[in-house]
Amino acid sequence: MNNFVIVIHAGAEKVKPGELPAEKEKAYRKALSQALQAGWEILRAGGSAVDAVAAAVQCMENEPLFNAGKGGSLTQRGETEFDAAIMDGRTLKAGAVGGIRFVQNPISLAKVVMEKCKHIFISGTGAEEYALRYDLPFKTPDYFITDEKRKAWLEKLQESETTEGHDTVGAVALDQEGNLAVATSTGGLTNQQKGRIGDSPVIGGGTFADNEVCAVSCTGEGEVIMRGVLAHEVYALVKYAGNSLQQAAEKTIRLHNNKLQGDKGLIALSPAGEVAIAFNTGFMKRAYRIGSQEPVVALWEEE
Amino acid sequence: MNNFVIVIHAGAEKVKPGELPAEKEKAYRKALSQALQAGWEILRAGGSAVDAVAAAVQCMENEPLFNAGKGGSLTQRGETEFDAAIMDGRTLKAGAVGGIRFVQNPISLAKVVMEKCKHIFISGTGAEEYALRYDLPFKTPDYFITDEKRKAWLEKLQESETTEGHDTVGAVALDQEGNLAVATSTGGLTNQQKGRIGDSPVIGGGTFADNEVCAVSCTGEGEVIMRGVLAHEVYALVKYAGNSLQQAAEKTIRLHNNKLQGDKGLIALSPAGEVAIAFNTGFMKRAYRIGSQEPVVALWEEE
């Protein structure tokens, strides 16, 4: 029996100690603990890494604090649009959705795509229609929009071109059978253009898993992560350059520092259960739990 | 002055000698020559690799024989939907569009996204609206649909779940300044689901360029190419595993042969001007020209 492990994140952003209200910090830690627990319980019971990452991400999608599912960022139009992907490191099967609305849990749709669809990436209304076919729960636009995200959108509208919103969520897991999986889900950027797709649903960009090498979920500026193909860069540095997982994670965050400027963070997990976390923002909401050890929840770099 | 090089493809598929009518073979060779020439002229005149790959791909989009722009495959709904991407190896900037209709040249929209947009990947109606903003030419649905592709669709409709359509087009180029670029464009699969996105617009999947390593454009079963992140795999094998470009291209086509079964082909180009071509279908429409040498146009494996 392998030792099972789960690692989750809920986004990297430039926040300094003192800038974060104590109440919000507490709420972040609680929400991270709950999502971690949801995935961990599945692994402990002998469930699959795929089911564990889906459960942890679904939990964070339902949490209005995070920018995925309920609580997603608003586009220029004042609407929410979601991207998500899941990948099974055992089979290299994957499912991804981009630019979707109304589906309560984008990660559940990505999982159905992985399990049932002849395609792996579907977008927009085509993807929403696919969700209807499998009876996935739908919600009205109001369900997804929180006061906090609407306020952020109204502020950004003044500045027209500016965007932000780095609370993408993700999870990587290793189950008792030794299988790796990854799931990532996001509401994108505040004030983003209609139809914009970020790195989360891009296999190799924000999401990648291969049982032989690692599972990786990224967060930060999606455009930069896609251009650098960062999740697959971690894999390449481990597989072909002989780096340890933590070395690979750190090098990937620094890759082409001049050309790929921007906020970047990632979590990674090896088939041996090694956990790697790297980010350049000073702050990343994250948590992990190795087997029956105590869970670790952290926000700041020095934690 | 570097020697300039351009390589193009118009898809890999399982065709055996004798299965292809002589007239169609002749038409393929002529269309490849014309697209190659369009890109080559730009390079010879000192133009950029980005402009050269865009011109070659635009030429193939306008050619009804190929599955990109005019002549695109029909979805389950009997409509055309397009994906395209372009990447500049010098800056690692990229532009990509997915699931778009009406825009005459999807690669031109991808180029505008790369040059003007704060995002790099936009999809569906959001992307079409972006094209309107830059006055890109639009066409009615009928413009894109050829008799041949409509016939292929009607045949596939009977079998409900089957798909095909491997005439994706792509180009990689090295300009006189030593810069690499790549462009890929596709009409997807015959009878594909509405909203399906393939590997072409996925940076690292079907399209990748980095001046220091290589430029790569893939073709074949998009789902398999995305799952293997094949364009970035070529990069990784060259950069980190010390492979020659041709070794990397061949290993990439064979990567996880058991898990990543399907038709695969790719063209690649190194900063030194080395051309690599690999495919597992026995047939790939392709052409290249190195500096002022004679152009090479080929279809079959043994050519």
Side-chain angles (χ1 to χ4, degrees):
Chain A
M1 191 189 91
N2 281 45
N3 212 355
F4 54 96
V5 183
I6 182 163
V7 192
I8 65 170
H9 72 77
E13 54 194 311
K14 286 204 182 70
V15 178
K16 286 182 187 135
E19 285 177 7
L20 186 71
E23 205 153 311
K24 192 155 188 189
E25 177 165 343
K26 203 176 151 189
Y28 278 155
R29 291 184 191 272
K30 189 178 164 192
L32 286 166
S33 294
Q34 285 171 341
L36 189 73
Q37 180 77 8
W40 184 84
E41 292 283 5
I42 288 170
L43 296 174
R44 189 186 53 170
S48 73
V50 165
D51 286 341
V53 293
V57 166
Q58 183 166 328
C59 192
M60 292 188 278
E61 285 178 342
N62 293 342
E63 166 58 60
L65 274 177
F66 301 139
N67 176 25
K70 189 176 179 66
S73 295
L74 277 62
T75 68
Q76 277 183 340
R77 306 281 170 90
E79 298 173 335
T80 52
E81 289 187 359
F82 300 102
D83 300 337
I86 189 164
M87 188 164 185
D88 181 343
R90 183 176 66 84
T91 58
L92 301 182
K93 287 189 176 169
V97 292
I100 63 162
R101 304 183 64 201
F102 315 120
V103 179
Q104 180 177 1
N105 289 109
I107 199 64
S108 306
L109 179 54
K111 192 161 180 272
V112 169
V113 170
M114 177 171 78
E115 291 167 353
K116 310 277 188 192
C117 191
K118 61 187 166 183
H119 307 314
I120 73 159
F121 193 1
I122 43 177
S123 63
T125 52
E128 291 152 11
E129 289 170 17
Y130 195 78
L132 283 171
R133 203 187 295 183
Y134 288 94
D135 275 338
L136 296 184
F138 272 51
K139 293 288 184 182
T140 61
D142 284 351
Y143 163 82
F144 297 99
I145 299 178
T146 61
D147 288 345
E148 188 182 344
K149 295 284 161 52
R150 196 191 295 275
K151 204 178 141 210
W153 171 67
L154 283 167
E155 279 166 13
K156 286 295 156 191
L157 269 185
Q158 326 285 328
E159 303 162 27
S160 84
E161 280 303 301
T162 327
T163 59
E164 66 164 22
H166 298 161
D167 304 315
T168 295
V169 305
V172 290
L174 174 69
D175 63 29
Q176 295 185 28
E177 311 269 297
N179 294 313
L180 288 169
V182 57
T184 314
S185 182
T186 189
L189 306 165
T190 298
N191 203 25
Q192 77 179 16
Q193 213 170 296
K194 180 179 166 67
R196 178 258 187 188
I197 292 179
D199 63 298
S200 304
V202 170
I203 302 304
T207 301
F208 188 72
D210 179 341
N211 261 10
E212 293 174 18
V213 185
C214 59
V216 185
S217 174
C218 296
T219 176
E221 290 193 20
E223 280 68 18
V224 167
I225 294 166
M226 274 188 279
R227 288 167 51 209
V229 199
L230 296 189
H232 200 257
E233 181 73 17
V234 176
Y235 150 99
L237 285 165
V238 170
K239 183 170 180 181
Y240 298 124
N243 285 237
S244 74
L245 192 68
Q246 184 63 36
Q247 283 173 330
E250 287 169 14
K251 279 187 191 172
T252 293
I253 294 296
R254 291 195 304 267
L255 179 75
H256 286 303
N257 254 339
N258 53 339
K259 292 178 187 172
L260 299 176
Q261 284 179 1
D263 293 351
K264 284 167 271 181
L266 67 86
I267 57 173
L269 189 54
S270 78
E274 187 193 350
V275 174
I277 296 170
F279 49 103
N280 65 1
T281 49
F283 179 88
M284 183 162 88
K285 303 184 274 298
R286 61 202 190 272
Y288 63 90
R289 190 166 185 183
I290 300 172
S292 51
Q293 294 177 24
E294 284 301 299
V296 175
V297 177
L299 303 177
W300 310 102
E301 194 161 4
E302 310 293 332
E303 238 186 294
Chain B
M1 191 190 90
N2 281 47
N3 212 355
F4 54 96
V5 184
I6 182 161
V7 191
I8 66 171
H9 72 77
E13 56 194 308
K14 287 203 182 70
V15 178
K16 286 182 188 133
E19 286 177 6
L20 187 72
E23 204 153 310
K24 192 155 189 190
E25 176 164 343
K26 201 175 153 193
Y28 278 153
R29 290 183 192 272
K30 188 177 167 196
L32 287 166
S33 294
Q34 285 170 342
L36 188 74
Q37 180 77 5
W40 184 84
E41 292 283 4
I42 289 171
L43 296 174
R44 188 185 54 171
S48 72
V50 165
D51 286 341
V53 293
V57 166
Q58 182 166 328
C59 193
M60 291 188 279
E61 285 177 342
N62 293 342
E63 166 56 60
L65 273 178
F66 301 139
N67 176 24
K70 188 175 180 68
S73 294
L74 277 62
T75 68
Q76 276 184 340
R77 305 284 171 90
E79 299 172 334
T80 52
E81 288 186 1
F82 300 101
D83 302 335
I86 190 165
M87 188 164 187
D88 181 344
R90 184 175 66 84
T91 58
L92 301 182
K93 286 187 177 170
V97 293
I100 63 161
R101 306 182 63 199
F102 314 120
V103 179
Q104 181 176 3
N105 290 108
I107 200 64
S108 306
L109 178 54
K111 191 160 180 270
V112 169
V113 169
M114 177 171 78
E115 289 166 353
K116 310 278 189 192
C117 191
K118 61 187 168 185
H119 308 313
I120 72 159
F121 193 2
I122 44 178
S123 62
T125 52
E128 291 153 11
E129 290 170 15
Y130 195 78
L132 284 171
R133 204 189 293 182
Y134 288 94
D135 276 337
L136 296 185
F138 272 51
K139 292 289 183 182
T140 60
D142 283 350
Y143 163 82
F144 297 99
I145 299 179
T146 60
D147 287 345
E148 187 182 346
K149 294 286 160 55
R150 196 191 295 274
K151 202 178 142 213
W153 170 68
L154 282 167
E155 278 165 15
K156 286 294 156 192
L157 269 184
Q158 326 286 329
E159 304 161 27
S160 84
E161 281 301 303
T162 326
T163 59
E164 64 164 20
H166 298 161
D167 305 314
T168 295
V169 306
V172 291
L174 173 69
D175 64 28
Q176 296 186 27
E177 311 269 297
N179 295 312
L180 289 169
V182 57
T184 313
S185 181
T186 189
L189 307 166
T190 299
N191 203 24
Q192 76 178 17
Q193 214 169 294
K194 181 181 163 68
R196 179 258 188 186
I197 292 179
D199 62 299
S200 305
V202 170
I203 303 303
T207 301
F208 188 72
D210 179 340
N211 261 9
E212 294 174 20
V213 186
C214 59
V216 185
S217 175
C218 298
T219 176
E221 290 193 20
E223 280 67 20
V224 166
I225 295 166
M226 275 188 279
R227 288 165 52 209
V229 199
L230 296 190
H232 200 257
E233 181 75 15
V234 176
Y235 150 99
L237 285 166
V238 171
K239 182 170 180 181
Y240 299 124
N243 285 240
S244 74
L245 192 68
Q246 185 62 37
Q247 284 173 330
E250 287 169 13
K251 281 189 189 172
T252 293
I253 294 296
R254 290 195 305 267
L255 180 74
H256 287 302
N257 254 340
N258 53 339
K259 293 178 186 172
L260 300 176
Q261 285 177 0
D263 293 351
K264 285 168 271 182
L266 66 87
I267 56 172
L269 189 53
S270 79
E274 186 193 350
V275 174
I277 296 170
F279 49 104
N280 66 0
T281 49
F283 179 88
M284 183 162 89
K285 301 183 276 297
R286 60 201 191 273
Y288 63 90
R289 189 166 187 183
I290 300 172
S292 50
Q293 294 176 25
E294 285 300 300
V296 176
V297 177
L299 302 178
W300 310 101
E301 195 162 5
E302 310 295 332
E303 245 188 286

